Amino acid sequence: MHTTVLGEGNTPCIHSRDYGEDLWFKMESQNPTGSYKDRFAAPAIAALASPSPPTVIATSSGNTGAALAAYAARFGVRLAVVTGANAPPAKLAPICAHGAKVLLVEDFAEDPELTAAVLRSIEQFTERTGAVMVVSAFRYSPAAMEGVSAIATELAALAPRHVVIPVGGGGLYTAIARGFLAAGMQDVKLHAVQPNGGATVAGAWRQNLRTALPMPGKTAISGLSVPLDLDATTALGHLYACGGMGIVLEDGEIYQAQRRLFDEEGICAEPAGAAAFAAYVKARDEGLVKPGERAVCLITGHGWKDAASLASRDEAAPPISANQLLEALQEYAR
Amino acid sequence: MHTTVLGEGNTPCIHSRDYGEDLWFKMESQNPTGSYKDRFAAPAIAALASPSPPTVIATSSGNTGAALAAYAARFGVRLAVVTGANAPPAKLAPICAHGAKVLLVEDFAEDPELTAAVLRSIEQFTERTGAVMVVSAFRYSPAAMEGVSAIATELAALAPRHVVIPVGGGGLYTAIARGFLAAGMQDVKLHAVQPNGGATVAGAWRQNLRTALPMPGKTAISGLSVPLDLDATTALGHLYACGGMGIVLEDGEIYQAQRRLFDEEGICAEPAGAAAFAAYVKARDEGLVKPGERAVCLITGHGWKDAASLASRDEAAPPISANQLLEALQEYAR
């Protein structure tokens, strides 16, 4: 039994049914608010707890906001979360439930210039008013991002050869790379996975560029649309340094991997949380990751975060009366 | 790092903000499918894994079904879940996502006679067809229920004087009582909490009865409406034996406690998951639990399980344009 603020971190690691002990899943979906962002939010908000905590203005695609809202409630911090207008409702509901405000901004996290302008606005506003800006990126909140590096420490005992990481802004990748470096494990290959509609890091790697590729966010995968260079160029540097690969996927490949996790592994991941598995399957099929080489895929967020992606399956049939049950059960009488 | 089937068990324990180290929360909401039912589902389904696993017909108010669906996918078991017509949709979506079927039956888990008849139908059907009936109760699936007893083992290090447990059918309470007995800790007071509209155990205790009170399920708290004596009389026996109390609450007190968890503790619990906290607050206010006596409240399920109860808060305002953001932020310029 471990004790933390709300129970963040020390998430389970489970092995794959289909790939056995070659492949492990790091279940970040089992953090208190359902994503790895709790590892960031806990120190970010705890650092502000004081007799008179400031107001926090944060940006988020949803998971950071939900994480910050829980810790903000715990520490009595007033919070407003700026997010894109198409964030999944299930990510926003807990933000409101914890008493924080959501500010939906059109085209945020899609249009690069508009997104940069919004960040500048918040920066100026917080400087002027004494509010604090929180963004889950080393560029803005480096101390709290160190909380995410604990993922590497927790994986060290598995001694993986590959760790497959979904990349949005690049903060998660950077944090894990720093964690492995701090643990003296610089030979773990950390692979960066992105959808084609947001391949700022993985796309740059494939073109052998030294700086990230800011581009309009054109993916439907919530959390992986970050059209700016937050920590992307930093992540790209680590990607070259550790000898990892940039892996670019179509959205459809990610949804397919999400369904395979549901069907075969028994894991309920949001689409972004399934992206690493999609990339592992692809890399293994192409011989880039070999049988017997231990890999870890990060399941970064729980399936409930994106209800629409769950509902793509058959839904429950209309209610029946108790008298009709035996008839309905007949199809199970093989 | 612990490894299990899907990462069930060994959930975090966190202390209360408002009550300090007098009160701890056992975060069963951080199990893989968001409730303590994973501790049951893992051994229940693993025991059926074989070259040719049988079909499973289960009953559930939602959480058991979601748990079984995940493990059934993992072990290749075909599953149909019989549930009441008013089960929260967010509990059913993962069942369907994992490829299991949901059979909604009108008045199931509300009308005692109808519910008993449905259980008998399933029993007869499975006996006739070789399918397996799974119900998360000692009465039906005793071996797998032992998986739930690990909660007691995990709490032993805290040496609590009180453990506050929401009771539906009585299986959770019975499992924890057995766990503490097995650990030689028979002096921990285990309190049974139920809504007034389903007080089969706690109501019986208050009337000093020796058998549970089957009654129509008239509570809106999903998971705590079990109008039958599954493990209720067994739980009642343990309740007398350990010197615990039966605590009966109105639904409104439970919703109020859920909101207090959101607002003050930073915990996102479904209503049933907040019931233990509601009972603790009441018992403490009434002097039945004293300052300095360590108590643990079980947070049995995550808030996302019951989206309607989250949405009772303000929702996000309509989207604004980036140009309107500075104006919207003005209210944070205290």
Side-chain angles (χ1 to χ4, degrees):
Chain A
M1 184 168 61
H2 60 282
T3 178
T4 51
V5 179
L6 291 175
E8 64 282 355
N10 276 313
T11 52
C13 239
I14 63 172
H15 68 76
S16 164
R17 184 190 88 171
D18 288 348
Y19 295 97
E21 302 221 352
D22 277 8
L23 176 60
W24 293 72
F25 299 106
K26 179 71 168 161
M27 303 298 286
E28 291 298 295
S29 46
Q30 287 177 238
N31 276 296
T33 78
S35 87
Y36 78 92
K37 296 288 190 178
D38 291 323
R39 298 177 182 268
F40 166 77
I45 299 294
L48 301 173
S50 76
S52 161
T55 294
V56 167
I57 314 293
T59 63
S60 172
S61 63
N63 283 338
T64 301
L68 289 170
Y71 294 88
R74 177 92 179 180
F75 288 107
V77 167
R78 190 180 182 206
L79 171 69
V81 178
V82 175
T83 185
N86 57 2
K91 293 190 180 182
L92 306 183
I95 302 177
C96 300
H98 284 296
K101 287 286 178 196
V102 172
L103 294 165
L104 298 173
V105 175
E106 288 158 3
D107 301 321
F108 180 71
E110 294 178 33
D111 180 310
E113 284 177 29
L114 180 145
T115 305
V118 163
L119 288 168
R120 277 196 306 275
S121 286
I122 297 171
E123 219 162 349
Q124 287 162 8
F125 175 81
T126 51
E127 276 168 15
R128 183 163 57 76
T129 60
V132 172
M133 180 178 186
V134 171
V135 178
S136 65
F138 282 92
R139 182 181 292 268
Y140 286 93
S141 306
M145 285 300 291
E146 301 288 349
V148 180
S149 298
I151 293 174
T153 322
E154 293 169 25
L155 290 177
L158 269 182
R161 181 170 169 86
H162 306 277
V163 178
V164 192
I165 305 167
V167 173
L172 173 63
Y173 186 98
T174 302
I176 293 175
R178 288 168 60 101
F180 276 116
L181 285 176
M185 295 173 69
Q186 54 272 72
D187 49 351
V188 183
K189 291 187 194 310
L190 309 178
H191 306 296
V193 183
Q194 289 187 305
N196 198 20
T200 53
V201 175
W205 182 89
R206 300 195 84 81
Q207 297 178 39
N208 202 26
L209 304 177
R210 298 292 127 176
T211 55
L213 280 168
M215 55 169 70
K218 289 193 182 300
T219 173
I221 310 295
S222 165
L224 300 187
S225 179
V226 183
L228 286 184
D229 187 358
L230 291 178
D231 294 330
T233 294
T234 309
L236 184 62
H238 286 293
L239 182 56
Y240 287 116
C242 73
M245 295 180 286
I247 301 172
V248 178
L249 301 166
E250 297 303 323
D251 285 7
E253 294 177 285
I254 296 175
Y255 289 121
Q256 202 179 351
Q258 182 193 26
R259 179 159 289 195
R260 185 168 167 188
L261 289 175
F262 285 141
D263 284 349
E264 299 178 17
E265 300 285 352
I267 292 172
C268 188
E270 68 169 310
F277 178 59
Y280 174 83
V281 171
K282 189 170 193 169
R284 175 126 173 187
D285 287 349
E286 292 175 359
L288 300 170
V289 172
K290 300 199 167 37
E293 294 178 353
R294 179 166 292 167
V296 178
C297 283
L298 264 68
I299 304 290
T300 47
H302 205 289
W304 65 263
K305 294 285 196 167
D306 189 343
S309 72
L310 295 193
S312 58
R313 267 297 165 81
D314 288 352
E315 300 201 35
I320 57 176
S321 73
N323 292 334
Q324 297 170 296
L325 179 62
L326 265 182
E327 193 188 325
L329 287 176
Q330 285 314 314
E331 70 168 292
Y332 300 96
R334 47 166 169 190
Chain B
M1 185 165 59
H2 59 282
T3 177
T4 51
V5 180
L6 290 176
E8 64 281 356
N10 275 312
T11 52
C13 239
I14 64 172
H15 69 76
S16 163
R17 184 191 86 170
D18 288 348
Y19 295 97
E21 303 221 351
D22 277 8
L23 176 60
W24 293 71
F25 299 105
K26 179 72 169 159
M27 303 299 286
E28 291 298 296
S29 46
Q30 287 178 238
N31 276 297
T33 78
S35 87
Y36 78 93
K37 297 287 190 179
D38 292 323
R39 297 177 182 269
F40 166 77
I45 299 293
L48 301 173
S50 75
S52 161
T55 294
V56 167
I57 314 293
T59 63
S60 172
S61 64
N63 283 339
T64 301
L68 289 170
Y71 294 88
R74 177 90 178 181
F75 287 108
V77 168
R78 190 179 181 206
L79 172 69
V81 178
V82 175
T83 185
N86 57 2
K91 293 190 180 183
L92 305 183
I95 301 177
C96 300
H98 284 296
K101 286 286 178 199
V102 172
L103 294 166
L104 297 173
V105 175
E106 287 159 4
D107 301 320
F108 180 72
E110 293 178 35
D111 180 311
E113 285 177 28
L114 181 144
T115 305
V118 164
L119 287 168
R120 278 195 307 274
S121 287
I122 298 172
E123 220 162 348
Q124 288 162 8
F125 175 81
T126 51
E127 277 168 13
R128 182 162 58 75
T129 59
V132 173
M133 180 177 185
V134 171
V135 178
S136 65
F138 282 92
R139 181 180 291 268
Y140 286 93
S141 306
M145 285 300 291
E146 300 289 348
V148 180
S149 298
I151 294 174
T153 323
E154 294 169 25
L155 290 177
L158 267 182
R161 182 171 171 83
H162 306 277
V163 178
V164 193
I165 305 168
V167 173
L172 173 64
Y173 186 97
T174 302
I176 293 175
R178 290 168 60 102
F180 276 116
L181 286 175
M185 296 173 68
Q186 54 272 72
D187 50 351
V188 183
K189 292 188 192 312
L190 309 179
H191 306 297
V193 183
Q194 289 187 305
N196 198 20
T200 54
V201 176
W205 182 89
R206 300 194 83 82
Q207 296 178 40
N208 202 25
L209 305 177
R210 297 292 127 175
T211 54
L213 280 169
M215 55 168 70
K218 290 194 182 301
T219 173
I221 310 295
S222 166
L224 300 186
S225 179
V226 183
L228 288 183
D229 187 358
L230 292 177
D231 295 329
T233 294
T234 309
L236 184 62
H238 286 293
L239 182 56
Y240 287 117
C242 73
M245 297 180 284
I247 301 171
V248 178
L249 301 166
E250 298 302 324
D251 285 7
E253 294 176 286
I254 296 175
Y255 289 121
Q256 202 178 350
Q258 183 193 27
R259 179 160 290 194
R260 186 169 166 187
L261 288 176
F262 286 141
D263 284 350
E264 298 178 17
E265 300 286 352
I267 291 172
C268 188
E270 68 169 310
F277 179 59
Y280 174 83
V281 170
K282 189 170 193 167
R284 176 127 173 185
D285 287 350
E286 292 175 359
L288 300 169
V289 171
K290 300 199 168 35
E293 294 177 355
R294 179 167 292 170
V296 178
C297 282
L298 264 67
I299 304 291
T300 48
H302 204 289
W304 64 263
K305 294 284 195 167
D306 190 341
S309 72
L310 294 193
S312 59
R313 267 298 165 79
D314 289 352
E315 301 200 36
I320 56 175
S321 73
N323 291 335
Q324 296 170 296
L325 179 61
L326 265 182
E327 193 188 325
L329 287 176
Q330 284 316 313
E331 69 168 292
Y332 300 95
R334 47 166 169 189

